């Protein structure tokens, strides 16, 4: 080391990589118990945090929360939600009223719409309302116990709600990030929580297999009996979701909305009485395998199987004279050899038995 002019290996390594003198390590902060993204410098990170704070404030400005349902009110409403679940399990609702998913069931009343995997074409703006009458009407108890109280508290105007959805979550259930379809529903969006406390998150990104959720722009605690009203930036400009880790107990939410008068609907599939029925296209004939009409022998499976080659050998043992019969094999190769050997016998035997020759059956 002295011959090369270096007394410390670290000095030699430093001289070999002079470009690392100006290198600034990426910053990774774990403050507040959260993992922070890597950034090239503290300045970049401060800009990123500032942008998120500005966005979080925009979201907060579009949220209003009020508490108008007591524990007694909640218990009464929760019993009614249990009745809805019971009726759905008995099949007492129309087809599109109930939508089941792992750890989460939806119950549409008043108006229902297609979304997610139900869409023929994926993407925002493709959602469609079902035709009138495809889902059940809003139950009377929703009007009396929920909507009436919201009108009295001036959360919504009278006559505003024509769509009610009950989301019933089991522990670990979730709903992925989404924006309530702007072309379907007017604003505000009103939701009331029951059974347990939870949270509503804004600006998350979901990944699956296994499911993972990014840090939210805004984490909004939602208490049992609380009313959450979304409008403005919170309703239109950023997604909201419920993460699996935020559903620790059963939780239900009643979402109350008003559909737009120009909201697109699915075309009615049923034909009107005046329209002639459309010609039914002729179905192609399906060819089925032919079946034997002979009755099955119940004892056939217990009998030893007789192969065609054995049948030929048995026939030959009857036809050939005693001195020309061979024993100890019934294979087809042996039959060929014995047949060829039979040609070497005198013509008198062949002439005597010419009328009784048997051709070998080839397979």
């Amino acid at each position: 080391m002295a011959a090369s002019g270096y007394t410390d290996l670290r000095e030699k390594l430093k001289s070999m990589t002079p470009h690392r003198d100006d290198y600034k390590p990426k910053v990774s902060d774990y403050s507040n118990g959260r993992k922070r993204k890597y950034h090239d410098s503290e300045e970049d990170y401060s800009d990123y945090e500032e942008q998120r704070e500005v966005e979080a404030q925009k979201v907060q400005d579009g949220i209003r929360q009020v508490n108008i349902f007591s524990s007694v009110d909640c218990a009464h409403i929760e019993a009614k939600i249990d009745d809805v679940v019971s009726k759905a399990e008995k099949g007492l609702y129309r087809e599109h009223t109930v939508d089941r998913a792992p750890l989460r069931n939806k119950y549409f009343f008043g108006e229902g719409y297609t979304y997610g995997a139900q869409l023929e074409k994926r993407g925002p703006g493709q959602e469609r309302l079902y035709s009138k009458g495809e889902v059940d009407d809003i139950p009377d108890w929703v009007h009396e116990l929920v909507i009436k109280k919201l009108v009295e508290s001036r959360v919504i105007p009278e006559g505003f709600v024509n769509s009610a959805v009950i989301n019933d979550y089991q522990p670990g259930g979730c709903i992925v990030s989404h924006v309530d379809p702007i072309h379907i529903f007017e604003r505000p969006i009103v939701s009331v929580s029951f059974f347990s406390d939870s949270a509503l998150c804004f600006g998350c990104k979901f990944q699956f297999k296994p499911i993972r959720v990014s840090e939210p722009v805004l984490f909004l605690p939602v208490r049992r009996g609380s009313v959450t009203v979304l409008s403005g930036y919170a309703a239109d400009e950023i997604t909201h979701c419920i993460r699996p880790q935020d559903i620790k107990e059963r939780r239900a939410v009643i979402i109350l909305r008003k559909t737009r008068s120009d909201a697109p609907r699915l075309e009615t599939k049923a034909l009107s009485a005046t329209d002639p029925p459309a010609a039914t296209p002729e179905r192609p004939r399906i060819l089925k395998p032919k079946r034997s009409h002979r009755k099955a022998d119940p004892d056939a499976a217990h009998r030893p199987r007789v192969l065609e080659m054995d049948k030929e050998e048995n026939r030959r043992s009857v036809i050939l004279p005693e001195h020309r019969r061979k024993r100890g094999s019934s294979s087809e190769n042996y039959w060929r050899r014995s047949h060829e050997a039979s040609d070497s016998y005198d013509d008198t035997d062949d002439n005597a038995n010419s009328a009784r020759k048997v051709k070998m059956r080839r397979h």
Side-chain angles (χ1 to χ4, degrees):
M1 295 293 293
S4 59
Y6 296 102
T7 59
D8 193 332
L9 180 59
R10 289 172 293 181
E11 295 181 4
K12 182 176 181 179
L13 293 174
K14 187 176 180 181
S15 67
M16 295 171 64
T17 56
H19 59 280
R20 292 189 62 85
D21 292 342
D22 299 329
Y23 174 77
K24 293 182 180 180
K26 294 182 179 180
V27 177
S28 180
D29 181 27
Y30 294 87
S31 59
N32 299 326
R34 295 189 306 172
K35 185 176 180 180
R36 199 173 77 181
K37 292 184 177 181
Y38 284 103
H39 297 274
D40 291 336
S41 66
E42 285 288 352
E43 184 177 354
D44 292 340
Y45 177 74
S46 62
D47 292 341
Y48 169 78
E49 283 293 300
E50 185 178 353
Q51 292 175 2
R52 286 179 67 88
E53 290 176 2
V54 170
E55 187 174 24
Q57 186 59 51
K58 290 181 181 179
V59 176
Q60 191 68 58
D61 291 342
I63 298 173
R64 177 189 174 196
Q65 284 187 304
V66 292
N67 295 307
I68 59 176
F69 293 94
S70 65
S71 297
V72 176
D73 296 333
C74 289
H76 194 184
I77 294 170
E78 288 163 2
K80 296 294 185 180
I81 294 175
D82 286 336
D83 290 341
V84 170
V85 175
S86 178
K87 288 182 179 179
E89 291 176 349
K90 295 176 182 178
L92 301 180
Y93 289 125
R94 296 172 188 171
E95 178 184 0
H96 295 299
T97 296
V98 184
D99 177 37
R100 302 184 187 279
L103 303 179
R104 190 271 298 151
N105 290 336
K106 275 180 174 286
Y107 305 94
F108 292 95
F109 296 103
E111 294 283 4
Y113 67 101
T114 60
Y115 68 97
Q118 303 169 349
L119 300 175
E120 294 183 2
K121 296 181 179 179
R122 299 291 184 91
Q126 300 298 325
E127 298 88 352
R128 297 290 184 271
L129 288 173
Y130 285 118
S131 301
K132 287 286 188 179
E134 290 289 323
V135 302
D136 289 81
D137 294 334
I138 298 176
D140 292 338
W141 65 265
V142 175
H143 285 288
E144 292 296 325
L145 302 179
V146 183
I147 297 176
K148 185 176 180 180
K149 204 154 192 176
L150 292 172
V151 172
E152 292 174 351
S153 301
R154 297 185 179 181
V155 176
I156 53 175
E158 188 172 359
F160 176 79
V161 176
N162 68 346
S163 170
V165 180
I166 300 175
N167 288 351
D168 189 11
Y169 299 92
Q170 298 302 318
C174 69
I175 186 167
V176 298
S177 297
H178 67 283
V179 173
D180 290 34
I182 300 175
H183 64 293
I184 297 288
F185 298 108
E186 294 187 1
R187 272 36 178 173
I189 301 164
V190 182
S191 62
V192 190
S193 297
F194 297 100
F195 288 108
S196 65
D197 298 342
S198 183
L200 193 63
C201 292
F202 295 83
C204 291
K205 292 182 180 179
F206 274 68
Q207 293 180 336
F208 301 93
K209 296 182 181 180
I211 188 168
R212 301 181 301 279
V213 188
S214 66
E215 287 295 326
V217 172
L218 181 69
F219 176 90
L220 181 69
V222 179
R223 307 299 179 189
R224 177 186 179 221
S226 66
V227 180
T228 303
V229 184
L230 302 182
S231 60
Y233 192 95
D236 301 337
E237 303 297 333
I238 191 171
T239 60
H240 59 272
C241 69
I242 297 176
R243 304 180 301 176
Q245 58 264 43
D246 296 328
I247 304 291
K248 298 178 176 61
E249 302 176 51
R250 182 192 177 190
R251 184 225 179 191
V253 57
I254 300 178
I255 305 172
L256 304 169
R257 294 174 290 201
K258 180 180 181 180
T259 58
R260 297 174 59 93
S261 58
D262 57 350
R265 290 185 181 274
L266 292 175
E267 296 180 0
T268 305
K269 296 181 180 179
L271 297 172
S272 63
T274 57
D275 295 337
T280 304
E282 185 178 355
R283 295 183 179 180
R285 294 181 62 186
I286 300 176
L287 299 179
K288 297 182 179 180
K290 293 183 179 180
R291 295 182 179 179
S292 174
H293 296 286
R294 292 184 300 176
K295 293 183 179 180
D297 186 354
D299 299 326
H302 303 286
R303 297 200 194 102
R305 186 178 179 186
V306 181
L307 302 177
E308 288 294 332
M309 62 183 72
D310 297 328
K311 293 179 182 178
E312 294 292 348
E313 182 67 18
N314 293 336
R315 292 194 193 99
R316 179 170 174 78
S317 65
V318 175
I319 295 172
L320 292 178
E322 184 70 24
H323 68 278
R324 293 169 60 184
R325 296 175 187 173
K326 302 290 183 179
R327 295 181 181 179
S329 175
S330 61
S331 67
E332 186 175 354
N333 291 333
Y334 186 84
W335 159 244
R336 289 174 180 171
R337 290 195 300 269
S338 62
H339 180 69
E340 293 170 357
S342 66
D343 294 337
S344 63
Y345 285 92
D346 53 69
D347 296 335
T348 59
D349 291 339
D350 292 336
N351 292 334
N353 299 313
S354 59
R356 302 175 68 184
K357 287 183 179 180
V358 179
K359 291 184 179 180
M360 182 185 71
R361 183 176 297 176
R362 296 185 178 273
H363 300 283

